[in-house]
Each structure stands twice: as structure tokens, then as C-alpha cells.
């Protein structure tokens, strides 16, 4: 795979583009990532020990207090130029699919429509008894209480915890989007969480041009054709602008 061809010309000629995004995609929106920096811990606890069914069974109030603080913080966060750049690129390629590990809803808030949320959405809750899903639990969570369903049972965040299966069909749909991509972005993820990280080899083996957008090396770096050690909120708008200029030149003839 020659790297020389510009990424913008690869995007212009692509039938399908797929983006695997992680917490780094939302870093420039002010949302702490999971594993990098001092903010990776919450009250000295690692997310892997809190985002589990056992942690919730053992101390649902502690887990809800963690989610409540994240929900309170999320209220002040907006999509960043990286999110909106993907909306711009999607307008110029036949198919752009975003497969996100993030639970913050910022891709949809930016206007992206084809978004596969592998790990759920922190702004939704579901009942531990009747399974009803709700979004009116946020105030109770931010108040530091355990939100309850109309049936009286505890609600839980509608996210995928470690050791839990992903939503029905999500990884199959995501795998198809990875296998069908001409260009596959790995944006803002340390690529340590599976099965999400397994999408990178799937894309590569199916012939995608794989681009890593991350200031740091990751477990996926060795699988990438192009590595750009630049924040997503800087790099993606640059390539969106290059693609827009290329398409405009093509149309001008
Ligand atoms: C599953 C939702 C089948 C919750 C999350 C033993 C027992 C059981 C399972 C396992 C096991 N060993 C391994 C597993 C599988 C496990 C796993 O992968 N564990 C890891 C830790 C090894 N996976 C699972 O359990 C999954 N389910 O396998 O089901 C099964 C079922 C039963 C038994 C066995 C198997 C479920 C995983 C889902 C977990 N839920 N989130 C919540 O958020 O509260 S995962 C969590 O991590 C987030 O979703 C997050 O997105 C995700 C991945 O992290 P990243 O997004 O990569 O974030 P990170 O901080 O790590 O990295 C940020 C990156 O951004 C860095 O590289 C940084 O350099 C970069 N960056 C920073 N700034 C920028 C930037 N990049 C660009 N621009 C910037 N500005
Ligand atoms: Zn209920």
C-alpha cells in the first residue's frame, strides 16, 4: 500500500469509510479519557473495576455516583471539531460509518447519523427488573442517588460493562463496516478493549487503508498504514478541508 497518495484523494475515491473512535475522540470536548493522564482514575478506582456487574451488585450507589459525576460533567461538553469533521467527510463519501466505543453521545450530537454505539450510551438507563429504558434518570444520578424505575426496581446505566456482551448485532454490524471499508480510521483509542479493538485487523485483512489518529502509540499502531501523531480535533478538520477542496476542484473541472 503506497502511503504517498494523499489521504484526501483516498477519501475522494473511497466507496466506504469507517471510523473506530475511542475516548480520545472526546478529549478535546473536555471529557477525560480512561487510561491516559491523571484523570484516568476516579476516587483512586480504575474504570475497569467500576464498570462491571460485580461492582454494581456490590455497591450500586458508588457506581451510580461515578456515573452521576460523569453525567454532570457531560452536560457542559459539546462536540469538538473532530466530531464535526466526520460529519463534513460523511457528506462527501458514499458511506461513512462511525463505530464508537464512547458512551457520551457526542458523534450523534455533532450530526453523525450512521453511528454504531458498541458500548451503549451513558445518557440512557435501563431497569434491572423490567428492562424499561429511560433518559429521565439523569437528575437523580447527578443528585448522588440510585435512580429507580416506575416498577420500583433500581435502574442501571444502559452501557456495556466489562464482562458483558455487546448490544445484539452491534459487533456484527461493526465488523461488516470494518471489512467493507476502503479507508479505516482508528481515532482516539488505545485499542486495548475487545471486541472493539479486533475491528482493526478485520479492516486491514480486508484491504482497508488503515489510519491511526492519536498523539500516542497504541496496540493498533503496528497494523496501521499511516500514523498521524496529532489530536483528532486538529487532524480530522485538516483532512475534511483537503477533501472539500479536492472535490470542489474536481467539480470545477
Ligand atoms: C466482552 C462502557 C464477551 C462503560 C466500556 C476477562 C474477563 C471478561 C472479559 C475479558 C477478560 N479479558 C479481556 C476481556 C474482554 C474485555 C476487555 O477487552 N478487557 C480489556 C480491559 C482487556 N472486554 C469486555 O469485557 C467486553 N465484553 O468481551 O463480551 C465476553 C462476555 C463475558 C465474558 C468474556 C467475554 C465489553 C467491553 C466494554 C467495556 N465498557 N465502556 C463506561 O464507559 O462506563 S470500555 C471503555 O474503554 C470505554 O468505552 C472506552 O471507550 C473504552 C476503550 O478505551 P479507549 O476509548 O481506547 O480510551 P483510552 O483512555 O484507553 O485511550 C484513549 C486514547 O486516546 C489514548 O490512546 C490517547 O493517546 C488518545 N488520545 C488522547 N487525546 C486524544 C487522543 N487521540 C486523539 N485525539 C486526542 N485529542
Ligand atoms: Zn422496571
Amino acid at each position: 500500500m503506497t502511503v504517498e497518495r494523499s489521504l484526501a484523494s483516498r477519501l475522494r475515491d473511497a466507496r466506504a469509510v469507517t471510523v473506530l473512535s475511542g475516548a480520545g475522540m472526546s478529549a478535546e470536548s473536555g471529557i477525560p479519557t480512561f487510561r491516559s493522564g491523571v484523570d484516568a482514575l476516579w476516587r483512586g478506582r480504575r474504570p475497569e473495576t467500576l464498570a462491571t456487574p460485580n461492582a454494581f451488585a456490590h455497591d450500586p450507589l458508588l457506581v451510580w455516583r461515578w456515573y452521576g459525576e460523569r453525567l454532570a460533567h457531560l452536560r457542559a461538553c459539546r462536540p469538538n471539531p473532530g466530531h464535526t469533521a466526520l460529519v463534513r467527510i460523511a457528506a462527501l463519501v458514499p458511506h461513512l460509518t462511525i463505530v464508537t466505543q464512547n458512551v457520551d453521545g457526542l458523534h450523534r450530537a455533532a450530526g453523525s447519523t450512521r453511528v454504531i454505539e458498541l458500548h451503549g450510551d451513558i445518557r440512557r438507563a435501563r431497569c434491572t427488573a423490567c428492562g424499561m429504558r429511560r433518559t429521565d434518570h439523569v437528575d437523580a444520578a447527578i443528585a448522588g442517588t440510585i435512580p429507580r424505575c416506575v416498577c420500583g426496581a433500581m435502574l442501571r446505566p444502559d452501557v456495556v460493562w466489562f464482562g458483558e456482551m455487546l448490544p445484539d448485532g452491534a459487533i456484527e454490524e461493526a465488523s461488516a463496516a470494518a471489512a467493507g471499508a476502503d479507508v479505516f480510521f482508528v481515532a482516539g483509542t488505545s485499542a486495548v478493549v475487545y471486541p472493539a479493538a479486533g475491528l482493526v485487523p478485520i479492516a486491514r485483512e480486508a484491504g482497508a487503508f488503515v489510519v491511526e489518529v492519536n498523539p500516542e502509540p497504541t496496540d493498533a499502531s503496528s497494523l496501521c498504514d499511516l500514523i498521524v501523531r496529532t489530536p483528532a480535533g486538529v487532524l480530522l478538520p485538516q483532512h475534511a478541508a483537503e477533501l472539500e477542496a479536492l472535490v470542489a476542484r474536481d467539480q470545477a473541472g
Side-chain angles (χ1 to χ4, degrees):
M1 237 355 133
T2 60
V3 174
E4 286 60 47
R5 236 185 103 196
S6 83
L7 184 53
S9 70
R10 286 182 186 277
L11 289 172
R12 189 247 343 246
D13 300 341
R15 280 169 305 105
V17 176
T18 299
V19 182
L20 172 63
S21 73
M25 188 77 214
S26 297
E28 290 152 280
S29 295
I31 298 180
T33 60
F34 279 82
R35 291 169 189 82
S36 45
V38 291
D39 51 30
L41 297 178
W42 181 75
R43 295 188 190 172
R45 304 276 307 263
R46 286 161 37 88
E48 283 87 358
T49 64
L50 283 166
T52 69
N54 292 344
F56 187 73
H58 179 69
D59 190 344
L61 186 58
L62 176 76
V63 172
W64 264 118
R65 287 217 163 124
W66 178 45
Y67 281 93
E69 286 192 19
R70 291 168 68 187
L71 283 165
H73 185 75
L74 183 57
R75 275 187 165 160
C77 298
R78 297 287 173 269
N80 66 62
H83 293 106
T84 44
L86 293 180
V87 179
R88 291 162 61 189
I89 293 170
L92 297 171
V93 300
H95 300 287
L96 185 137
T97 305
I98 296 174
V99 179
T100 189
Q101 300 170 86
N102 298 340
V103 294
D104 55 35
L106 290 183
H107 281 298
R108 289 191 195 284
S112 291
T113 50
R114 191 155 161 63
V115 182
I116 301 170
E117 292 166 333
L118 294 180
H119 298 158
D121 184 331
I122 196 174
R123 300 164 307 161
R124 261 195 333 262
R126 74 170 185 271
C127 180
T128 54
C130 71
M132 184 192 279
R133 280 182 163 78
R134 330 179 48 89
T135 55
D136 58 358
H137 66 293
V138 175
D139 289 340
I142 290 176
T145 63
I146 296 176
R148 290 203 172 265
C149 178
V150 288
C151 78
M154 284 191 300
L155 294 176
R156 57 159 284 175
D158 194 16
V159 297
V160 179
W161 282 329
F162 288 99
E164 291 188 321
M165 303 303 282
L166 272 57
D168 285 350
I171 200 63
E172 291 78 7
E173 210 183 332
S175 302
D182 296 306
V183 178
F184 186 84
F185 284 99
V186 190
T189 181
S190 58
V192 300
V193 172
Y194 284 80
L199 295 170
V200 185
I202 288 175
R204 179 174 181 77
E205 275 140 42
F209 183 77
V210 183
V211 185
E212 178 165 73
V213 183
N214 194 322
E216 306 288 334
T218 74
D219 285 6
S221 298
S222 61
L223 297 175
C224 296
D225 298 292
L226 174 64
I227 291 178
V228 198
R229 292 277 174 254
T230 306
V234 174
L235 188 277
L236 292 173
Q238 283 170 354
H239 285 288
E242 269 183 50
L243 176 61
E244 285 159 349
L246 198 55
V247 168
R249 273 203 302 279
D250 288 352
Q251 284 166 350

PDB file of all heavy atoms in Angstrom, residues 1 6 34 40 44 73 87 111-112 114 116 133-134 147 178 197 206 219 222 230-231 248 250:
ATOM      1  N   MET A   1       0.886  -1.182   0.000  1.00  0.00           N
ATOM      2  CA  MET A   1       0.000   0.000   0.000  1.00  0.00           C
ATOM      3  C   MET A   1       0.925   1.234   0.000  1.00  0.00           C
ATOM      4  O   MET A   1       1.668   1.469   0.938  1.00  0.00           O
ATOM      5  CB  MET A   1      -0.740  -0.016   1.322  1.00  0.00           C
ATOM      6  CG  MET A   1      -2.197  -0.027   1.446  1.00  0.00           C
ATOM      7  SD  MET A   1      -3.472   0.074   0.362  1.00  0.00           S
ATOM      8  CE  MET A   1      -4.441  -1.259   0.959  1.00  0.00           C
ATOM      9  N   SER A   6      -2.277  10.994  -1.379  1.00  0.00           N
ATOM     10  CA  SER A   6      -2.796  11.780  -0.252  1.00  0.00           C
ATOM     11  C   SER A   6      -4.030  11.095   0.311  1.00  0.00           C
ATOM     12  O   SER A   6      -4.793  10.425  -0.415  1.00  0.00           O
ATOM     13  CB  SER A   6      -3.163  13.187  -0.716  1.00  0.00           C
ATOM     14  OG  SER A   6      -4.459  13.152  -1.296  1.00  0.00           O
ATOM     15  N   PHE A  34      -9.955   7.236  29.481  1.00  0.00           N
ATOM     16  CA  PHE A  34      -9.970   6.187  30.500  1.00  0.00           C
ATOM     17  C   PHE A  34      -8.605   5.863  31.051  1.00  0.00           C
ATOM     18  O   PHE A  34      -8.441   5.482  32.192  1.00  0.00           O
ATOM     19  CB  PHE A  34     -10.574   4.903  29.897  1.00  0.00           C
ATOM     20  CG  PHE A  34     -12.061   4.960  29.895  1.00  0.00           C
ATOM     21  CD1 PHE A  34     -12.735   5.636  28.895  1.00  0.00           C
ATOM     22  CD2 PHE A  34     -12.787   4.397  30.935  1.00  0.00           C
ATOM     23  CE1 PHE A  34     -14.101   5.727  28.909  1.00  0.00           C
ATOM     24  CE2 PHE A  34     -14.166   4.490  30.952  1.00  0.00           C
ATOM     25  CZ  PHE A  34     -14.827   5.150  29.936  1.00  0.00           C
ATOM     26  N   ALA A  40      -7.352   9.437  34.807  1.00  0.00           N
ATOM     27  CA  ALA A  40      -7.790   8.081  34.441  1.00  0.00           C
ATOM     28  C   ALA A  40      -8.404   7.378  35.639  1.00  0.00           C
ATOM     29  O   ALA A  40      -9.037   6.351  35.518  1.00  0.00           O
ATOM     30  CB  ALA A  40      -6.595   7.289  33.923  1.00  0.00           C
ATOM     31  N   GLY A  44      -9.489   7.202  43.038  1.00  0.00           N
ATOM     32  CA  GLY A  44      -8.484   6.152  43.224  1.00  0.00           C
ATOM     33  C   GLY A  44      -8.892   4.803  42.654  1.00  0.00           C
ATOM     34  O   GLY A  44      -8.168   3.818  42.769  1.00  0.00           O
ATOM     35  N   HIS A  73     -20.691  16.242  34.343  1.00  0.00           N
ATOM     36  CA  HIS A  73     -19.601  16.831  33.538  1.00  0.00           C
ATOM     37  C   HIS A  73     -20.012  16.888  32.065  1.00  0.00           C
ATOM     38  O   HIS A  73     -19.786  17.888  31.379  1.00  0.00           O
ATOM     39  CB  HIS A  73     -18.326  15.989  33.714  1.00  0.00           C
ATOM     40  CG  HIS A  73     -17.134  16.563  33.030  1.00  0.00           C
ATOM     41  ND1 HIS A  73     -16.450  17.657  33.531  1.00  0.00           N
ATOM     42  CD2 HIS A  73     -16.528  16.246  31.864  1.00  0.00           C
ATOM     43  CE1 HIS A  73     -15.458  17.966  32.693  1.00  0.00           C
ATOM     44  NE2 HIS A  73     -15.485  17.123  31.692  1.00  0.00           N
ATOM     45  N   VAL A  87     -18.649  14.611  10.192  1.00  0.00           N
ATOM     46  CA  VAL A  87     -19.927  14.939   9.524  1.00  0.00           C
ATOM     47  C   VAL A  87     -19.630  15.527   8.138  1.00  0.00           C
ATOM     48  O   VAL A  87     -20.263  15.168   7.133  1.00  0.00           O
ATOM     49  CB  VAL A  87     -20.745  15.934  10.384  1.00  0.00           C
ATOM     50  CG1 VAL A  87     -22.061  16.302   9.693  1.00  0.00           C
ATOM     51  CG2 VAL A  87     -21.030  15.351  11.761  1.00  0.00           C
ATOM     52  N   GLY A 111     -24.138  15.523  14.663  1.00  0.00           N
ATOM     53  CA  GLY A 111     -24.919  15.373  13.440  1.00  0.00           C
ATOM     54  C   GLY A 111     -24.628  14.100  12.671  1.00  0.00           C
ATOM     55  O   GLY A 111     -25.202  13.866  11.610  1.00  0.00           O
ATOM     56  N   SER A 112     -23.721  13.260  13.199  1.00  0.00           N
ATOM     57  CA  SER A 112     -23.465  11.972  12.517  1.00  0.00           C
ATOM     58  C   SER A 112     -24.705  11.101  12.637  1.00  0.00           C
ATOM     59  O   SER A 112     -25.346  11.041  13.691  1.00  0.00           O
ATOM     60  CB  SER A 112     -22.258  11.255  13.149  1.00  0.00           C
ATOM     61  OG  SER A 112     -21.076  11.990  12.851  1.00  0.00           O
ATOM     62  N   ARG A 114     -24.908   7.673  10.954  1.00  0.00           N
ATOM     63  CA  ARG A 114     -24.621   6.239  10.920  1.00  0.00           C
ATOM     64  C   ARG A 114     -23.587   5.951  12.010  1.00  0.00           C
ATOM     65  O   ARG A 114     -22.386   5.962  11.768  1.00  0.00           O
ATOM     66  CB  ARG A 114     -24.098   5.844   9.533  1.00  0.00           C
ATOM     67  CG  ARG A 114     -24.051   4.375   9.360  1.00  0.00           C
ATOM     68  CD  ARG A 114     -24.132   3.909   7.908  1.00  0.00           C
ATOM     69  NE  ARG A 114     -23.636   2.546   7.809  1.00  0.00           N
ATOM     70  CZ  ARG A 114     -24.219   1.497   8.435  1.00  0.00           C
ATOM     71  NH1 ARG A 114     -25.308   1.691   9.148  1.00  0.00           N
ATOM     72  NH2 ARG A 114     -23.697   0.286   8.330  1.00  0.00           N
ATOM     73  N   ILE A 116     -22.589   3.378  15.230  1.00  0.00           N
ATOM     74  CA  ILE A 116     -22.806   2.123  15.974  1.00  0.00           C
ATOM     75  C   ILE A 116     -22.176   2.303  17.345  1.00  0.00           C
ATOM     76  O   ILE A 116     -20.958   2.504  17.455  1.00  0.00           O
ATOM     77  CB  ILE A 116     -22.152   0.931  15.241  1.00  0.00           C
ATOM     78  CG1 ILE A 116     -22.747   0.781  13.823  1.00  0.00           C
ATOM     79  CG2 ILE A 116     -22.337  -0.371  16.034  1.00  0.00           C
ATOM     80  CD1 ILE A 116     -21.989  -0.215  12.934  1.00  0.00           C
ATOM     81  N   ARG A 133     -36.255   1.133  29.263  1.00  0.00           N
ATOM     82  CA  ARG A 133     -35.170   2.110  29.080  1.00  0.00           C
ATOM     83  C   ARG A 133     -35.714   3.513  29.297  1.00  0.00           C
ATOM     84  O   ARG A 133     -36.846   3.817  28.959  1.00  0.00           O
ATOM     85  CB  ARG A 133     -34.596   1.970  27.659  1.00  0.00           C
ATOM     86  CG  ARG A 133     -33.623   0.806  27.536  1.00  0.00           C
ATOM     87  CD  ARG A 133     -33.026   0.692  26.152  1.00  0.00           C
ATOM     88  NE  ARG A 133     -31.837  -0.155  26.158  1.00  0.00           N
ATOM     89  CZ  ARG A 133     -31.879  -1.493  26.185  1.00  0.00           C
ATOM     90  NH1 ARG A 133     -33.053  -2.109  26.224  1.00  0.00           N
ATOM     91  NH2 ARG A 133     -30.764  -2.201  26.192  1.00  0.00           N
ATOM     92  N   ARG A 134     -34.889   4.392  29.899  1.00  0.00           N
ATOM     93  CA  ARG A 134     -35.339   5.743  30.208  1.00  0.00           C
ATOM     94  C   ARG A 134     -34.192   6.717  30.040  1.00  0.00           C
ATOM     95  O   ARG A 134     -33.042   6.328  30.045  1.00  0.00           O
ATOM     96  CB  ARG A 134     -35.813   5.839  31.675  1.00  0.00           C
ATOM     97  CG  ARG A 134     -36.396   4.578  32.242  1.00  0.00           C
ATOM     98  CD  ARG A 134     -36.795   4.760  33.674  1.00  0.00           C
ATOM     99  NE  ARG A 134     -37.571   5.963  33.850  1.00  0.00           N
ATOM    100  CZ  ARG A 134     -38.902   6.020  33.741  1.00  0.00           C
ATOM    101  NH1 ARG A 134     -39.578   4.953  33.454  1.00  0.00           N
ATOM    102  NH2 ARG A 134     -39.541   7.146  33.929  1.00  0.00           N
ATOM    103  N   PRO A 147     -31.129   5.983  40.785  1.00  0.00           N
ATOM    104  CA  PRO A 147     -32.399   6.192  40.064  1.00  0.00           C
ATOM    105  C   PRO A 147     -33.225   4.894  40.047  1.00  0.00           C
ATOM    106  O   PRO A 147     -32.668   3.800  39.958  1.00  0.00           O
ATOM    107  CB  PRO A 147     -31.952   6.570  38.651  1.00  0.00           C
ATOM    108  CG  PRO A 147     -30.500   6.964  38.768  1.00  0.00           C
ATOM    109  CD  PRO A 147     -29.955   6.146  39.898  1.00  0.00           C
ATOM    110  N   ALA A 178     -16.164  -2.602   9.049  1.00  0.00           N
ATOM    111  CA  ALA A 178     -14.688  -2.629   9.015  1.00  0.00           C
ATOM    112  C   ALA A 178     -14.210  -3.372   7.762  1.00  0.00           C
ATOM    113  O   ALA A 178     -13.326  -2.913   7.038  1.00  0.00           O
ATOM    114  CB  ALA A 178     -14.154  -3.315  10.271  1.00  0.00           C
ATOM    115  N   ALA A 197     -11.375  -3.548  19.627  1.00  0.00           N
ATOM    116  CA  ALA A 197     -10.023  -3.445  19.050  1.00  0.00           C
ATOM    117  C   ALA A 197      -9.813  -4.478  17.944  1.00  0.00           C
ATOM    118  O   ALA A 197      -8.970  -4.290  17.056  1.00  0.00           O
ATOM    119  CB  ALA A 197      -8.973  -3.627  20.150  1.00  0.00           C
ATOM    120  N   ALA A 206      -9.035  -7.087   5.263  1.00  0.00           N
ATOM    121  CA  ALA A 206      -9.980  -6.968   4.131  1.00  0.00           C
ATOM    122  C   ALA A 206      -9.476  -5.946   3.112  1.00  0.00           C
ATOM    123  O   ALA A 206     -10.130  -5.674   2.111  1.00  0.00           O
ATOM    124  CB  ALA A 206     -11.351  -6.551   4.661  1.00  0.00           C
ATOM    125  N   ASP A 219      -1.819  -0.155  20.827  1.00  0.00           N
ATOM    126  CA  ASP A 219      -1.716  -1.565  20.456  1.00  0.00           C
ATOM    127  C   ASP A 219      -2.073  -1.789  18.994  1.00  0.00           C
ATOM    128  O   ASP A 219      -1.818  -2.852  18.442  1.00  0.00           O
ATOM    129  CB  ASP A 219      -2.668  -2.402  21.341  1.00  0.00           C
ATOM    130  CG  ASP A 219      -2.125  -2.560  22.755  1.00  0.00           C
ATOM    131  OD1 ASP A 219      -1.093  -1.929  23.065  1.00  0.00           O
ATOM    132  OD2 ASP A 219      -2.729  -3.315  23.538  1.00  0.00           O
ATOM    133  N   SER A 222       0.883  -0.950  15.011  1.00  0.00           N
ATOM    134  CA  SER A 222       1.646  -1.799  14.070  1.00  0.00           C
ATOM    135  C   SER A 222       0.778  -2.261  12.899  1.00  0.00           C
ATOM    136  O   SER A 222       1.291  -2.734  11.892  1.00  0.00           O
ATOM    137  CB  SER A 222       2.185  -3.031  14.816  1.00  0.00           C
ATOM    138  OG  SER A 222       1.069  -3.768  15.327  1.00  0.00           O
ATOM    139  N   THR A 230      -1.277  13.291  15.881  1.00  0.00           N
ATOM    140  CA  THR A 230      -1.907  14.610  16.028  1.00  0.00           C
ATOM    141  C   THR A 230      -3.267  14.408  16.670  1.00  0.00           C
ATOM    142  O   THR A 230      -3.939  13.405  16.389  1.00  0.00           O
ATOM    143  CB  THR A 230      -2.098  15.227  14.613  1.00  0.00           C
ATOM    144  OG1 THR A 230      -0.843  15.223  13.931  1.00  0.00           O
ATOM    145  CG2 THR A 230      -2.646  16.636  14.691  1.00  0.00           C
ATOM    146  N   PRO A 231      -3.704  15.334  17.507  1.00  0.00           N
ATOM    147  CA  PRO A 231      -5.034  15.191  18.098  1.00  0.00           C
ATOM    148  C   PRO A 231      -6.121  15.140  17.029  1.00  0.00           C
ATOM    149  O   PRO A 231      -6.023  15.834  16.010  1.00  0.00           O
ATOM    150  CB  PRO A 231      -5.175  16.441  18.968  1.00  0.00           C
ATOM    151  CG  PRO A 231      -3.772  16.872  19.256  1.00  0.00           C
ATOM    152  CD  PRO A 231      -2.978  16.491  18.032  1.00  0.00           C
ATOM    153  N   ALA A 248     -14.149  20.116  -4.736  1.00  0.00           N
ATOM    154  CA  ALA A 248     -14.521  21.377  -5.413  1.00  0.00           C
ATOM    155  C   ALA A 248     -13.716  21.520  -6.711  1.00  0.00           C
ATOM    156  O   ALA A 248     -14.251  21.880  -7.759  1.00  0.00           O
ATOM    157  CB  ALA A 248     -14.241  22.556  -4.488  1.00  0.00           C
ATOM    158  N   ASP A 250     -12.433  19.080  -8.491  1.00  0.00           N
ATOM    159  CA  ASP A 250     -12.953  18.071  -9.445  1.00  0.00           C
ATOM    160  C   ASP A 250     -14.223  18.608 -10.125  1.00  0.00           C
ATOM    161  O   ASP A 250     -14.400  18.512 -11.329  1.00  0.00           O
ATOM    162  CB  ASP A 250     -13.315  16.757  -8.718  1.00  0.00           C
ATOM    163  CG  ASP A 250     -12.071  15.991  -8.259  1.00  0.00           C
ATOM    164  OD1 ASP A 250     -10.954  16.420  -8.639  1.00  0.00           O
ATOM    165  OD2 ASP A 250     -12.223  15.026  -7.499  1.00  0.00           O
TER     166      ASP A 250
END
